[in-house]
Every structure is written in C-alpha cells, then in structure tokens.
Amino acid sequence: LQDALSQGKQLSRALEEEAHRRNQSVAELQNLILQERGRENGMSTKLQSELTKATQQMQDQTGAWMELARVMKGEVASLAGELRNDRESRSMEASSQRYEINRMLEETRLANVAS
C-alpha cells in the first residue's frame, strides 16, 4: 500500500510538472502569436501608409502633367494664331505687291500705246 501511495504521489508530481511544462509552452506560443500579430499589424500599417503616400504622389504628378498639358495647349494655340496672322499679313503684302506690279505694267503699257 505504501508503495502504491508513493507511486501515486510520484505520478501526481510528474503530471503536475507535465501540466506546468505544457502551460508554459502554451503561454510561449500565445506570446509568439501576439508578437507576430503585432508585427503583421505594424507591417500592414506601414504598407497602408506607403500606399497612401504613393497614391498622393501619383495624384500630384498627374496634376503636374495636367498643368503642363494645359500650358502646352495654350502655347500651341498662341503659335497657331501667330502663324495665321503671319500668313494673312504675307498674303496681304503679296496681294499689295501684285496690285503694284499690275499698276506699273498698266502704266507702262499705256505709255507705250501713247507713244
């Protein structure tokens, strides 16, 4: 009976030690899981921040390109107007020169007919 009681106590201590060891292992695993979740949340927050920053940079860059396109459109319109005005001016000058040449030819023809 004494031996059985002694073996029961040893078995009880061994079970308590095993339970304690398992509780420590579970606590360590829970701690590791919490740390990993913290890292994942930190990484998620960092990635979200980087995405927000990249999105803002893209929007800023798009705005800059839109402004550049607006300026270029204005400059092209201005150059087209200048080209049109220059063409009209040259056309008027050429017309005036043709008129002057025709007038001189007519005067010369009339002078030759009169002589």
Side-chain angles (χ1 to χ4, degrees):
L1 185 64
Q2 235 0 317
D3 283 342
L5 196 55
S6 176
Q7 286 178 356
K9 286 181 182 180
Q10 285 177 350
L11 185 58
S12 177
R13 270 189 248 133
L15 287 174
E16 284 178 10
E17 288 174 3
E18 180 66 21
H20 180 70
R21 191 176 54 76
R22 286 186 182 188
N23 285 340
Q24 282 181 328
S25 294
V26 168
E28 288 174 10
L29 287 173
Q30 287 175 338
N31 190 26
L32 289 173
I33 290 171
L34 289 174
Q35 288 176 359
E36 186 62 30
R37 281 186 186 164
R39 272 185 246 141
E40 287 175 358
N41 287 341
M43 184 61 86
S44 175
T45 302
K46 180 183 176 189
L47 290 173
Q48 187 175 13
S49 173
E50 289 176 0
L51 177 61
T52 301
K53 183 179 176 182
T55 301
Q56 183 61 46
Q57 287 175 342
M58 288 174 59
Q59 288 174 344
D60 292 345
Q61 193 174 38
T62 299
W65 282 106
M66 293 299 289
E67 177 64 18
L68 179 62
R70 187 189 64 73
V71 168
M72 289 174 61
K73 181 180 177 183
E75 288 179 6
V76 167
S78 175
L79 288 171
E82 289 176 19
L83 181 62
R84 184 176 48 253
N85 291 340
D86 186 55
R87 192 177 330 137
E88 289 174 2
S89 173
R90 288 176 188 257
S91 176
M92 290 176 68
E93 184 179 330
S95 178
S96 174
Q97 288 175 352
R98 278 192 304 271
Y99 174 78
E100 188 64 30
I101 290 171
N102 285 336
R103 188 184 62 75
M104 288 169 40
L105 287 173
E106 186 63 24
E107 286 178 1
T108 304
R109 188 182 66 76
L110 289 175
N112 284 339
V113 170
S115 43

